[in-house]
Amino acid sequence: MGKKKKLTGIFLAISIIAALLLHFFIIKGLLYAQNMSFTWNNFIELHDNSIYFLIDSIILLIPLFAWLSGSYFENKINSYANIVEKRDNQHEAVNEIAKNLTNGNVDFDADQKTDNKLVQQLLALRDNLKKQKEEEAIRKKEDNQRHWVSEGLAKFGDILRQNNDNIDTLSFEIISELCKYIDAVQGGFFLLEDTEENDKHFKLTAHFAYDRQKYNEKRVEWGEGLIGRAAFEQKTLYIDDVPQDYVEVTSGLGQTNPNALLVVPLKFNEEVHGVLELAGFEMFDQYKIDFVEKIAENIGSTISNVKINLKTAKFLKESQEQAERLSQQEEEMRQNMEELQATQEEAAKQSKEFVSFTNSVNHTLIRAEYDVNGILNYANTKFLRKLEYENSSEVEGHHISMFINEKDKEWFNDIWNDLSRGGHHFEGYMKHVTKKGKDLWTMATYTCVRNENGGVEKILFLAIDTTEHKKQSLDYEGQIRALNLANIKAEYAPSGKFIACNDKFLESVGYTMDEVKETSIFDFFTEENQTNFEELWNNVVNGVPYQGQLSVTVKDKKIKWYQMTLISVNNMYGEVDKILVLAIDITEQKELEIKISEQNRILKDQEEKLKNSEMELQKRLDKAKRELKQHFKEVEKSKVRHEKTLEGALDAILTTDQNGTIEFFNKAAESLWGYDRKDVVGQNIKLLFSNDIIEADDFVKRFVKPGLEKIVGERKEISITTKDGENKQVLMLLSDATVDKVHTYTAFIQQIEVELF
């Protein structure tokens, strides 16, 4: 607007000057034409004619025209200037936006209301780039988190694989590395102890930067506190407002409460095996919580596998031992079952010969057929005769339970239910009840007969009457049991290779079963006796039994004497199958005989030597007294040197005798407990521990109570009680020095404090 006034003013000023000059020259010309001089009076006189007023008016219109013209041109010029200025501003805005975008800056401010399409497009491009940059930052953060999680899973996977045979080492490695990995300042690994049904609790097996006082007992009951709650609910607990008195982190700068607490159950297959507790000064991000939950699931899986492996090993060992016992007693029955199974397999393969096979079976085996509900549909003649029924109408249509003793129904029902669902066939001893209530023992087979669709059509029962054989077997088993209880018994092959033995044999020779399996009968005899025993053994193999006394070399080359019987056992073909060795240990009796004989000989020799050595003995006795006196002096000097060395140690050191009386107490121990040495030496060690600590800590109890076995050579964390009644956390290592069966215990005590960073 200022430019407009200036241009219009110039036009107006020039037009006024021009109008005045023009008016002046016109008036002067008119006066000159009338021969009049240019005076004011002549000027007024000239205007007596009205036409001169018209001239004046026209002259006045010139400035008006000039003002209008100036205004017009000024508006045009200002309009063009505004257009140019607007374009310049837009170009400047475009350049500024382009410069920011070129430099990668997408956070600049700009006028969003502009109507310039190029600016709008550039701003849209800026918004897209800004959005892409934010998305890229988010993707990068997520990629970093995924990479962090992947590295962590791989790292802890290695830890779980390397330490899956030791729960204590595994828990320590996991909690220490996990705290470092997720920037936690505290961590605890609580393992579920559920071996006893009425004592289900969590045990703190490893910890990182824990307050010793709070977790001195290292036990959390099931359902107690956050640990029990997380286990009971089987879900993660995350607390970002930790109570001030819940847990503290001890460092060189003092004690500080964490701001976040994460409690994660070690869950696998909906079963809790333990709990992780982690605390941090900073809040835990969600991806870290998810990571800990994945690690917890892997830990739970590992612990579950360890428990399963231990149980499997135990069951496998028990089953192997049971199988070995059964194999010795049921060899003949297994042969019959193998023949029976071979017959059954042959019947399944040759269905075209089923009728002839069935007739053959009916002549040799007890046979019956049941539907899947246990109803008897068919029974052959042998079935009726053995079970004391006269005709098939008495049994057909009846349930199988009428042939089973009430005491056997519970386990038999499980077998039948499995068969009716198409399970594996049953082979083994089966006791049935006859019509008259007698027991019928059979070697029985129950097997499924399937239809074309694979479903169970019926259950086939085949059996051999083994009642007499079973009675004889039970009688033999009783005799063998009595023989095993009364005698040392072993079985060897004719070659001398070990076959079997009873517990008395293992106990007598001192070997384990695994060790004795690697021996032969000849390993128990020295080279001097080897030839004679080989001749004796060959006679037994050829059928000549042996009874007599033999000296045997058992474990650790110890010599024992036995009253021994060796007899061969023949198989069904009359061939020697094994050699049975029965023995009674007469070592004490034999050694006593030898000892008495030897002592008699020695006594005679000693009588002669005694007379000749009295003088020499006296000389040696005098010399021994002098040496012993000198030795005591050296021992006393050594004791003084050791006590002075221990006195200057930085760690607290004390020594007690085997009755718990304090014999040595150095300056560091005085500083730690607050007692003077003179008030402690000669007192009982219980003075330095409270009764609560003694009863609660097994290590301390064993140390302070005479007669209990001490825990020696292991560094343990314990509590002590100072003179002022204060409990302090220390590390203690106990050593044992034994001289002439007299024990002296030395305790090395170091005060501890958890320091962070």
Side-chain angles (χ1 to χ4, degrees):
M1 194 66 188
K3 289 182 179 181
K4 178 179 178 183
K5 287 182 179 180
K6 185 177 180 181
L7 185 60
T8 303
I10 292 172
F11 270 66
L12 183 59
I14 293 173
S15 65
I16 291 173
I17 294 172
L20 291 174
L21 290 174
L22 180 60
H23 185 263
F24 172 76
F25 284 114
I26 290 174
I27 296 298
K28 188 174 181 181
L30 291 174
L31 290 174
Y32 180 77
Q34 295 180 16
N35 294 317
M36 296 175 65
S37 60
F38 187 77
T39 61
W40 181 255
N41 292 330
N42 291 334
F43 177 75
I44 295 173
E45 184 180 350
L46 187 62
H47 281 78
D48 290 340
N49 191 348
S50 58
I51 193 171
Y52 289 105
F53 284 102
L54 180 61
I55 293 172
D56 291 338
S57 299
I58 293 172
I59 294 301
L60 292 174
L61 291 175
I62 292 174
L64 178 60
F65 176 76
W67 181 80
L68 293 173
S69 299
S71 298
Y72 174 76
F73 287 112
E74 185 177 268
N75 289 334
K76 286 291 185 181
I77 292 172
N78 287 336
S79 176
Y80 290 136
N82 289 335
I83 293 172
V84 172
E85 182 180 5
K86 184 176 181 181
R87 289 180 179 176
D88 290 341
N89 291 336
Q90 291 177 346
H91 289 161
E92 184 179 354
V94 170
N95 290 334
E96 185 67 22
I97 294 172
K99 181 179 179 181
N100 284 316
L101 294 177
T102 302
N103 295 330
N105 181 21
V106 294
D107 296 324
F108 59 87
D109 295 328
D111 186 7
Q112 302 288 337
K113 298 181 179 180
T114 180
D115 56 354
N116 187 285
K117 293 184 178 180
L118 179 58
V119 173
Q120 292 177 349
Q121 292 175 352
L122 289 174
L123 291 176
L125 176 61
R126 177 203 64 180
D127 294 338
N128 288 334
L129 291 175
K130 186 174 182 180
K131 183 177 179 181
Q132 291 177 3
K133 187 175 181 180
E134 292 173 350
E135 292 176 349
E136 179 64 24
I138 294 173
R139 281 196 300 271
K140 185 176 181 181
K141 182 179 180 182
E142 291 176 349
D143 290 340
N144 290 336
Q145 291 176 357
R146 282 192 292 269
H147 181 68
W148 181 88
V149 170
S150 299
E151 283 189 346
L153 291 174
K155 176 178 181 179
F156 287 96
D158 291 338
I159 294 175
L160 292 173
R161 284 191 295 273
Q162 294 172 4
N163 301 285
N164 59 12
D165 58 345
N166 190 313
I167 292 296
D168 291 335
T169 303
L170 174 67
S171 59
F172 175 76
E173 290 291 333
I174 285 291
I175 198 63
S176 58
E177 292 299 328
L178 186 58
C179 287
K180 296 173 186 177
Y181 201 72
I182 68 171
D183 298 326
V185 296
Q186 277 190 337
F189 192 108
F190 294 85
L191 186 66
L192 179 63
E193 297 285 343
D194 57 354
T195 53
E196 297 183 10
E197 184 177 355
N198 297 327
D199 187 20
K200 191 175 183 182
H201 64 278
F202 292 95
K203 177 183 178 183
L204 180 63
T205 58
H207 53 77
F208 179 82
Y210 256 109
D211 186 328
R212 282 353 188 237
Q213 186 67 25
K214 175 175 176 59
Y215 289 99
N216 187 40
E217 296 184 359
K218 301 182 181 180
R219 174 187 174 111
V220 177
E221 300 299 332
W222 176 265
E224 179 183 20
L226 296 178
I227 303 297
R229 176 184 167 190
F232 180 77
E233 296 180 355
Q234 295 191 11
K235 67 179 183 179
T236 299
L237 300 179
Y238 178 57
I239 301 174
D240 54 7
D241 185 14
V242 182
Q244 292 298 311
D245 59 348
Y246 182 76
V247 67
E248 291 182 342
V249 179
T250 304
S251 71
L253 302 177
Q255 294 181 328
T256 307
N257 286 299
N259 297 319
L261 183 68
L262 181 63
V263 184
V264 182
L266 305 178
K267 184 176 65 173
F268 181 70
N269 287 341
E270 302 302 324
E271 184 178 357
V272 174
H273 299 282
V275 176
L276 291 177
E277 184 179 42
L278 302 164
F281 290 137
E282 302 295 335
M283 301 301 171
F284 294 115
D285 294 329
Q286 185 60 43
Y287 75 94
K288 289 188 176 181
I289 297 176
D290 296 338
F291 170 74
V292 174
E293 289 178 337
K294 291 180 181 178
I295 293 297
E297 184 176 353
N298 293 341
I299 297 171
S301 174
T302 300
I303 295 174
S304 176
N305 290 336
V306 170
K307 290 182 177 179
I308 291 172
N309 290 340
L310 292 175
K311 291 181 180 178
T312 302
K314 179 181 178 182
F315 293 151
L316 179 61
K317 183 178 180 181
E318 292 176 353
S319 64
Q320 289 174 343
E321 293 175 352
Q322 184 178 9
E324 290 178 0
R325 290 194 300 268
L326 291 175
S327 64
Q328 296 173 7
Q329 301 173 3
E330 300 178 357
E331 181 63 30
E332 184 177 351
M333 300 302 352
R334 280 199 301 270
Q335 292 176 359
N336 293 335
M337 286 302 302
E338 289 174 359
E339 294 176 2
L340 182 60
Q341 183 177 359
T343 304
Q344 292 172 339
E345 292 174 354
E346 185 67 21
K349 295 178 181 178
Q350 300 177 356
S351 58
K352 292 181 180 180
E353 301 177 3
F354 180 72
V355 174
S356 61
F357 170 74
T358 302
N359 293 332
S360 299
V361 169
N362 286 336
H363 285 295
T364 57
L365 299 175
I366 301 169
R367 176 171 172 260
E369 295 178 2
Y370 299 89
D371 64 15
V372 294
N373 296 318
I375 303 302
L376 190 144
N377 295 328
Y378 168 79
N380 68 355
T381 303
K382 272 189 175 290
F383 182 95
L384 298 173
R385 181 164 53 83
K386 291 293 183 181
L387 289 171
E388 300 179 322
Y389 291 97
E390 295 180 359
N391 54 66
S392 59
S393 61
E394 293 184 82
V395 295
E396 290 180 357
H398 291 275
H399 195 267
I400 190 173
S401 59
M402 73 180 291
F403 311 117
I404 306 298
N405 191 293
E406 288 293 332
K407 297 179 181 179
D408 299 327
K409 284 184 179 180
E410 183 175 353
W411 69 270
F412 180 78
N413 288 339
D414 293 335
I415 295 174
W416 184 265
N417 291 334
D418 184 54
L419 285 167
S420 64
R421 292 192 294 265
H424 295 293
H425 64 276
F426 168 80
E427 295 178 359
Y429 282 115
M430 178 67 70
K431 184 177 72 173
H432 293 77
V433 179
T434 67
K435 180 179 180 181
K436 297 179 180 179
K438 299 178 181 178
D439 289 337
L440 174 67
W441 283 94
T442 62
M443 177 57 68
T445 297
Y446 284 90
T447 186
C448 299
V449 179
R450 302 181 183 275
N451 54 30
E452 295 179 355
N453 299 324
V456 180
E457 181 177 338
K458 57 185 177 181
I459 308 297
L460 177 64
F461 166 67
L462 298 172
I464 299 174
D465 183 2
T466 61
T467 302
E468 294 302 322
H469 185 275
K470 185 65 176 177
K471 290 179 180 178
Q472 186 179 21
S473 176
L474 291 174
D475 181 55
Y476 287 159
E477 288 177 4
Q479 294 181 27
I480 291 172
R481 246 188 331 267
L483 190 63
N484 284 332
L485 292 174
N487 294 276
I488 298 170
K489 183 175 78 76
E491 297 175 7
Y492 287 90
S495 63
K497 184 178 180 181
F498 175 83
I499 298 176
C501 69
N502 64 0
D503 293 337
K504 275 186 169 292
F505 179 88
L506 296 176
E507 181 182 352
S508 180
V509 299
Y511 289 110
T512 64
M513 180 60 76
D514 291 335
E515 290 173 336
V516 81
K517 284 179 180 178
E518 304 299 325
T519 65
S520 72
I521 187 67
F522 304 106
D523 293 332
F524 292 99
F525 296 90
T526 62
E527 294 181 359
E528 299 175 356
N529 300 328
Q530 195 77 245
T531 303
N532 293 334
F533 180 75
E534 287 179 357
E535 182 179 354
L536 182 153
W537 183 263
N538 290 332
N539 291 335
V540 175
V541 171
N542 292 323
V544 181
Y546 170 80
Q547 284 185 334
Q549 296 180 359
L550 291 175
S551 64
V552 173
T553 303
V554 297
K555 191 172 183 181
D556 298 330
K557 298 183 178 180
K558 185 177 180 181
I559 303 298
K560 282 194 172 186
W561 284 86
Y562 294 95
Q563 181 68 37
M564 193 174 296
T565 300
L566 286 81
I567 186 169
S568 60
V569 178
N570 297 336
N571 59 19
M572 59 186 297
Y573 302 107
E575 300 171 346
V576 177
D577 186 49
K578 58 187 176 182
I579 305 299
L580 181 64
V581 179
L582 299 175
I584 299 175
D585 189 347
I586 60 171
T587 303
E588 293 183 0
Q589 175 185 342
K590 196 69 177 179
E591 287 180 347
L592 183 60
E593 293 176 2
I594 296 173
K595 186 175 181 180
I596 291 173
S597 176
E598 182 67 19
Q599 283 178 347
N600 289 334
R601 184 186 64 79
I602 291 173
L603 284 173
K604 291 180 180 179
D605 294 340
Q606 285 179 345
E607 286 178 1
E608 291 293 328
K609 292 180 180 179
L610 189 60
K611 294 177 182 179
N612 299 326
S613 62
E614 284 184 357
M615 293 297 295
E616 183 67 25
L617 181 61
Q618 185 63 40
K619 292 178 182 179
R620 291 181 180 179
L621 183 60
D622 293 339
K623 183 180 179 181
K625 287 180 179 179
R626 291 193 298 270
E627 290 178 351
L628 184 60
K629 185 175 181 181
Q630 182 64 29
H631 176 69
F632 280 137
K633 289 181 179 179
E634 294 297 328
V635 170
E636 187 64 28
K637 290 180 181 179
S638 176
K639 180 178 179 182
V640 172
R641 284 197 299 270
H642 288 322
E643 287 184 354
K644 288 183 178 181
T645 301
L646 296 176
E647 183 64 34
L650 296 178
D651 291 342
I653 302 174
L654 61 88
T655 302
T656 70
D657 62 14
Q658 61 187 10
N659 296 321
T661 302
I662 300 174
E663 297 180 342
F664 177 76
F665 199 74
N666 72 349
K667 289 183 179 180
E670 289 180 338
S671 176
L672 178 61
W673 268 283
Y675 288 103
D676 291 333
R677 184 184 312 174
K678 62 182 180 179
D679 298 329
V680 174
V681 174
Q683 300 295 323
N684 192 277
I685 189 64
K686 291 182 180 180
L687 175 68
L688 306 180
F689 302 91
S690 68
N691 291 331
D692 292 340
I693 292 175
I694 292 173
E695 294 302 323
D697 195 316
D698 186 59
F699 178 81
V700 176
K701 181 190 290 185
R702 290 175 176 269
F703 176 47
V704 303
K705 291 189 175 183
L708 295 181
E709 183 180 357
K710 317 301 181 188
I711 301 176
V712 176
E714 296 184 23
R715 187 181 295 272
K716 295 288 186 177
E717 179 183 336
I718 66 168
S719 292
I720 65 170
T721 305
T722 66
K723 183 177 181 180
D724 298 331
E726 178 186 359
N727 288 343
K728 289 185 178 181
Q729 296 296 119
V730 298
L731 290 175
M732 177 182 284
L733 175 66
L734 191 63
S735 67
D736 178 14
T738 306
V739 179
D740 294 333
K741 297 183 179 180
V742 176
H743 296 270
T744 301
Y745 301 102
T746 302
F748 300 87
I749 303 99
Q750 179 182 2
Q751 188 170 359
I752 59 174
E753 181 180 32
V754 178
E755 295 188 358
L756 300 180
F757 313 109

